[in-house]
Amino acid sequence: MRSRPTLEDVARAAGVSTATVSRVVNTPDRVRAETRQRVEAAVAELGYAPHFGGRALASNRTGTVGAVIPTMENAIFARGLQAMQEELDAAGVTLLVATSDYDAAKEAHQIQTLLGRGVDGLVLIGEARDPAVYELLERFEVPFVLVWTWRADSPWPCVGFDNFAAARDLAERVLDRGHRRIAMVAGVTRDNDRAEARIRGVRAAMEARGLALAPSAVVECDYRIEPGIEAARGLLAAVPRPTVLICGNDVLAAGACRAVRAAGLRVPEDVSVTGFDNIEIAELLEPPLATVHVPHRRMGRMAARNLLARLDPAAGGACGAERPASLRLETEFLARGSLGPAP
Amino acid sequence: MRSRPTLEDVARAAGVSTATVSRVVNTPDRVRAETRQRVEAAVAELGYAPHFGGRALASNRTGTVGAVIPTMENAIFARGLQAMQEELDAAGVTLLVATSDYDAAKEAHQIQTLLGRGVDGLVLIGEARDPAVYELLERFEVPFVLVWTWRADSPWPCVGFDNFAAARDLAERVLDRGHRRIAMVAGVTRDNDRAEARIRGVRAAMEARGLALAPSAVVECDYRIEPGIEAARGLLAAVPRPTVLICGNDVLAAGACRAVRAAGLRVPEDVSVTGFDNIEIAELLEPPLATVHVPHRRMGRMAARNLLARLDPAAGGACGAERPASLRLETEFLARGSLGPAP
């Protein structure tokens, strides 16, 4: 078995010192072009990949940022992650993504794994998690940023939006169109503060107009089409029938639209449907989906910049840098064909 | 600055030897329950994450598998990755995903980064890449599997499908419906052997019937809706107009359907449209999209098993295990409303 090439092997092949190899890896701008090319040729020839014996030890940096997201399916997180990756990539940092299936214990394990792999920073979705996880993050002194969430008094840096306010705003638009019999196809609230905040937002808007969101009018289900169809079918069987299904996201709303049609009803003439996220399918549906536009790409980009600012050695490194301010992004309600006046 | 807790710190806190801590991390079944609980409590309390000083050194395994995919957007790879992640997760292995933006140089860099992070195995999309990358993989002796591709005489383990055969089969169904003026909204073929094979498949089916696919009838574009609309708009302006737009995937087909409608035409009465992948949007479109069903979840699951079989120490470890056979998965043409007879 051939062993992996080391920093020493590269130095020997290039006829330079190990310190020079390290400089080429970490601060290529400070190395003469000719030397750099010699080292890079040796790196390529030997198949050297800098790891804990190279770049990491030399600079205490690994050039990687980890993200733990709940799921890769359904493109809910896709666009934001893609933008984050592009921004990190431009800074020479690789984004490594793990998925937790909306399971807090799995997420904690994956955070441990990423810290163990030596990531320079972490991106996490939402805020609610076991205090032990935050203690772990502080102990490792690895900078992290919370995305898809924003709360004025959060102790952690957030780059995201206010799920509660966005859902309340959407519900107000629904109420403005005369709807009173409102039901919700919601996401599962366990281990998911965003799903929980969206339900609270709808409830707050209704209560402000003297209406109640009955527990029986809220069904929680996985963010996938089939469970969305099932949940909507159950809600549509209520007597009297709801005039609108407010859905926890666009995927559930796509399922709800199908359930309305499967029941021989029309969207929006008989039952209106709303989503949340404005992912690609929202505009492709017929009628197009009324939903909340989330600035996914901007959120991903700004989250990356937030982390990079704290990783920049010029700013004093991860420990010395001041914590950048959280950033609240605006969401926007999009009135589209799936939301009509109450029948 | 507090330093990260070490294996020794955990051993001291739990009152056991470092070898015992290592056993708890690597082979918990062989440790008495009481001892295990003591060590686990110390791990949790100290926030210890096994890394190159712990699990990796002890077993030469890191419990992570890396995947480099072209993009996270559009859910093209989402479902397969999600299934892969679930299967690996059941085996206690964490999947770390990097994205390359369909750029071979970026992919090579990310493979290096993942090897540098010490992954136990790698999942790569497609087969065509610089021989130097395959040499690097062999040098590191890290098992890898190629997915979304399958070729009978590939020297590498593939768990995927034959893009050429699937596209040829689809084109035959299109020809069977009387279409002769065929145009293609194809994916970008640079650094993408799947996109290239799909064009070749359509061309082969046409040539078998004495027809030619003119270069001007093929437009390559990024796998996103907007470029798909643009490309289709250009192709629809040809005189005589094509009667069908065969698209490189479902995302491009969704764009093509919009372009047909924007031109005041109907799908499929005036122009038929076909996709490839059968991702979620295919069935949500109106009319639903005729496409090639790719068994994404099964592909992800089987790719994970292929790697796990080679990682299982009982099978002799990464180096000793025999290379598992490649696996060819069947695709299926789905006749749906967007494909009609030639007008």
Side-chain angles (χ1 to χ4, degrees):
Chain A
M1 168 173 172
R2 269 191 294 177
S3 63
R4 298 182 182 189
T6 64
L7 194 69
E8 287 72 27
D9 295 337
V10 175
R12 204 174 307 121
V16 300
S17 69
T18 53
T20 301
V21 177
S22 181
R23 266 199 301 279
V24 170
V25 169
N26 293 296
T27 53
D29 296 347
R30 298 191 207 161
V31 183
R32 276 198 308 144
E34 189 215 333
T35 310
R36 197 173 65 220
Q37 280 157 21
R38 203 134 46 93
V39 171
E40 283 171 353
V43 165
E45 196 197 329
L46 294 172
Y48 171 72
H51 61 117
F52 277 85
R55 176 173 182 140
L57 269 190
S59 70
N60 210 19
R61 294 268 300 283
T62 64
T64 55
V65 159
V68 184
I69 63 171
T71 182
M72 297 214 180
E73 275 202 61
N74 294 320
I76 303 172
F77 299 100
R79 198 171 288 182
L81 264 280
Q82 184 67 30
M84 194 181 300
Q85 136 86 33
E86 287 164 18
E87 192 78 14
L88 290 170
D89 198 69
V93 173
T94 298
L95 179 67
L96 299 178
V97 181
T99 57
S100 67
D101 295 324
Y102 291 96
D103 179 322
K106 268 195 204 172
E107 192 208 38
H109 174 74
Q110 288 168 329
I111 290 170
Q112 273 218 343
T113 299
L114 286 163
L115 291 172
R117 295 297 85 217
V119 290
D120 298 330
L122 274 175
V123 178
L124 302 173
I125 310 288
E127 182 180 356
R129 49 180 58 81
D130 192 326
V133 173
Y134 284 110
E135 281 162 26
L136 179 73
L137 289 165
E138 298 257 290
R139 197 189 312 265
F140 268 79
E141 291 174 328
V142 165
F144 63 93
V145 60
L146 309 180
V147 290
W148 263 267
T149 192
W150 181 90
R151 198 166 58 87
D153 46 356
S154 170
W156 318 112
C158 304
V159 174
F161 55 95
D162 185 333
N163 285 275
F164 169 81
R168 186 181 54 189
D169 176 58
L170 174 137
E172 280 166 3
R173 312 308 184 97
V174 168
L175 289 160
D176 287 347
R177 283 161 176 78
H179 293 277
R180 292 298 176 267
R181 294 200 306 273
I182 295 174
M184 265 197 92
V185 180
V188 175
T189 54
R190 183 174 158 277
D191 295 342
N192 187 336
D193 49 2
R194 289 86 62 209
E196 185 269 330
R198 292 177 195 176
I199 297 176
R200 263 195 300 118
V202 172
R203 181 170 287 131
M206 293 178 70
E207 288 176 355
R209 304 210 191 179
L211 299 165
L213 181 64
S216 64
V218 182
V219 176
E220 295 186 12
C221 62
D222 284 354
Y223 282 136
R224 292 182 294 112
I225 300 261
E226 296 301 330
I229 296 175
E230 272 311 301
R233 181 185 302 162
L235 290 167
L236 290 170
V239 180
R241 196 170 60 216
T243 61
V244 61
L245 297 175
I246 295 182
C247 300
N249 76 2
D250 292 347
V251 178
L252 295 182
C257 289
R258 294 192 120 195
V260 170
R261 264 186 225 104
L265 302 167
R266 294 158 304 163
V267 177
E269 291 82 354
D270 301 309
V271 181
S272 287
V273 175
T274 64
F276 198 110
D277 275 342
N278 196 29
I279 61 173
E280 227 151 40
I281 57 168
E283 224 179 330
L284 294 174
L285 291 174
E286 203 32 60
L289 197 60
T291 189
V292 174
H293 174 75
V294 172
H296 287 105
R297 289 195 61 87
R298 186 163 143 76
M299 181 165 58
R301 225 165 35 235
M302 298 312 287
R305 286 190 198 162
N306 182 297
L307 271 185
L308 288 169
R310 284 183 284 163
L311 293 174
D312 183 358
C319 311
E322 257 185 72
R323 172 169 293 174
S326 286
L327 179 63
R328 179 188 181 164
L329 300 172
E330 293 304 318
T331 57
E332 186 191 354
F333 174 74
L334 299 178
R336 293 206 194 106
S338 72
L339 173 61
Chain B
M1 168 172 175
R2 269 190 297 177
S3 63
R4 298 183 182 190
T6 64
L7 195 69
E8 287 71 27
D9 295 336
V10 175
R12 205 174 308 120
V16 301
S17 69
T18 53
T20 301
V21 176
S22 182
R23 267 200 302 281
V24 170
V25 169
N26 292 297
T27 53
D29 296 346
R30 298 190 206 160
V31 182
R32 276 195 310 145
E34 190 214 334
T35 309
R36 196 172 66 219
Q37 280 156 21
R38 203 133 46 93
V39 171
E40 283 171 354
V43 165
E45 197 197 329
L46 293 173
Y48 171 71
H51 62 119
F52 277 85
R55 177 175 183 139
L57 269 190
S59 71
N60 209 18
R61 295 269 298 284
T62 64
T64 54
V65 159
V68 184
I69 63 172
T71 181
M72 297 215 181
E73 276 202 61
N74 294 321
I76 304 172
F77 299 100
R79 199 171 288 184
L81 264 280
Q82 184 67 27
M84 193 181 299
Q85 137 86 30
E86 287 163 18
E87 192 78 13
L88 290 170
D89 197 69
V93 172
T94 298
L95 179 68
L96 299 179
V97 182
T99 58
S100 67
D101 295 323
Y102 291 96
D103 178 321
K106 268 195 204 175
E107 192 207 37
H109 174 74
Q110 289 169 328
I111 290 170
Q112 272 217 345
T113 300
L114 286 163
L115 291 172
R117 296 295 85 216
V119 290
D120 298 329
L122 273 175
V123 178
L124 303 173
I125 310 287
E127 182 180 357
R129 50 180 57 81
D130 192 326
V133 173
Y134 285 110
E135 281 162 27
L136 178 73
L137 290 165
E138 300 256 292
R139 196 189 312 264
F140 269 79
E141 291 174 324
V142 165
F144 63 93
V145 60
L146 309 180
V147 290
W148 264 266
T149 191
W150 181 90
R151 197 166 59 87
D153 46 355
S154 170
W156 317 113
C158 303
V159 174
F161 55 96
D162 185 333
N163 284 276
F164 170 81
R168 186 180 53 188
D169 176 59
L170 173 137
E172 280 166 3
R173 311 310 182 95
V174 168
L175 289 160
D176 287 347
R177 283 161 177 78
H179 293 278
R180 292 297 173 268
R181 297 201 303 275
I182 295 175
M184 264 197 95
V185 181
V188 175
T189 54
R190 180 171 161 278
D191 295 344
N192 186 338
D193 49 2
R194 290 86 63 210
E196 185 269 331
R198 292 177 195 175
I199 297 175
R200 264 196 299 117
V202 171
R203 181 169 288 130
M206 292 178 69
E207 288 176 355
R209 304 209 191 179
L211 299 165
L213 181 63
S216 64
V218 181
V219 176
E220 296 186 11
C221 63
D222 283 354
Y223 283 137
R224 294 181 294 112
I225 300 259
E226 296 301 331
I229 295 175
E230 271 313 300
R233 181 184 304 162
L235 290 167
L236 290 170
V239 179
R241 196 170 59 218
T243 62
V244 62
L245 297 174
I246 295 182
C247 301
N249 75 3
D250 292 347
V251 178
L252 295 182
C257 288
R258 294 192 122 197
V260 170
R261 265 187 224 104
L265 303 167
R266 293 158 304 164
V267 178
E269 291 82 355
D270 301 309
V271 181
S272 287
V273 175
T274 64
F276 198 111
D277 275 343
N278 196 29
I279 60 172
E280 227 150 40
I281 58 167
E283 224 179 330
L284 293 174
L285 291 174
E286 201 36 56
L289 196 60
T291 190
V292 174
H293 174 74
V294 172
H296 287 105
R297 289 194 61 86
R298 187 164 141 77
M299 182 164 58
R301 225 165 35 235
M302 299 312 286
R305 287 190 197 161
N306 182 298
L307 270 186
L308 288 170
R310 284 182 285 162
L311 293 175
D312 183 359
C319 313
E322 259 186 71
R323 173 169 291 178
S326 285
L327 179 64
R328 179 187 182 166
L329 300 172
E330 293 304 320
T331 57
E332 186 192 353
F333 174 74
L334 298 179
R336 293 207 192 106
S338 72
L339 174 60

